[in-house]
Structure formats: C-alpha cells, structure tokens
Amino acid sequence: MNYQILIESYASGETISKDELTLLELELDSQLESIKFSRNQGCTEKAPKHICEAVQVCVGSSWITCLASILDKANQLSLGKKSRGAKVIDALVDNNYLMN
C-alpha cells in the first residue's frame, strides 16, 4: 500500500475505510520509527500544496504531518493523550528535521 495514494484520494474527496485507516496507523508508526535511523525518508519531504490544504495543515508541511492530520481527524484520541500530529512534530524536532 502506498500511503501517499490514499492521502491523494482523501484530498480529492474520497472516504478512507476503517481498514485503510488501520493501515495508515501502521504506516505512521513505521515512519516514526524509521526517521530515527535514516535521513532518506520520503515521509519527511514536503507534501504538495493541494494535499496540505485538503488535510488542513500549513502549506509546506511534510507527508508524515499530513498523514498524522488525517488520522487525528478520523480517530479522535481520549482526553490527555498526545495527538498524532504532536507526536510527529516532536519526532521531527528530536531528529533534527525541524528546528525548535
């Protein structure tokens, strides 16, 4: 599965199924782990403007940020839990992809 294709579909107005959301959760977890070890991750590249706008993140955000935004909107976390978006930002800062 290519998560970017699912995000493109979402951006064009298609609904993401529960099974696809489960796969996207696994993809996010995998990406969060892999950015610790490799600087060659496509997930840290900037997503196209239309994707950022569709998922309601800042233009110029990374693919992983867009992925987290979709998951946060689809599956709300219980109170007190850190959002996926916040976890992604923390991971990007911790691994020197973003400056504090």
Side-chain angles (χ1 to χ4, degrees), residues 35-47:
I35 64 173
K36 297 176 188 177
F37 306 107
S38 174
R39 301 291 298 174
N40 299 324
Q41 298 299 316
C43 66
T44 59
E45 293 176 7
K46 290 181 183 179

Side-chain angles (χ1 to χ4, degrees), residues 6-86:
L6 282 176
I7 293 174
E8 287 276 0
S9 296
Y10 177 86
S12 68
E14 291 184 36
T15 303
I16 297 177
S17 72
K18 287 187 179 196
D19 289 339
E20 290 168 331
L21 286 170
T22 299
L23 292 173
L24 289 176
E25 286 279 2
L26 293 171
E27 180 67 27
L28 180 65
D29 291 342
S30 174
Q31 288 181 10
L32 286 171
E33 283 302 310
S34 65
I35 64 173
K36 297 176 188 177
F37 306 107
S38 174
R39 301 291 298 174
N40 299 324
Q41 298 299 316
C43 66
T44 59
E45 293 176 7
K46 290 181 183 179
K49 180 181 177 182
H50 73 281
I51 298 293
C52 294
E53 290 172 346
V55 302
Q56 300 174 334
V57 298
C58 294
V59 172
S61 294
S62 63
W63 278 101
I64 193 171
T65 304
C66 295
L67 174 56
S69 177
I70 290 170
L71 292 169
D72 281 338
K73 286 178 181 78
N75 294 318
Q76 297 290 321
L77 297 174
S78 58
L79 288 175
K81 286 202 165 191
K82 188 180 269 191
S83 71
R84 292 163 196 87

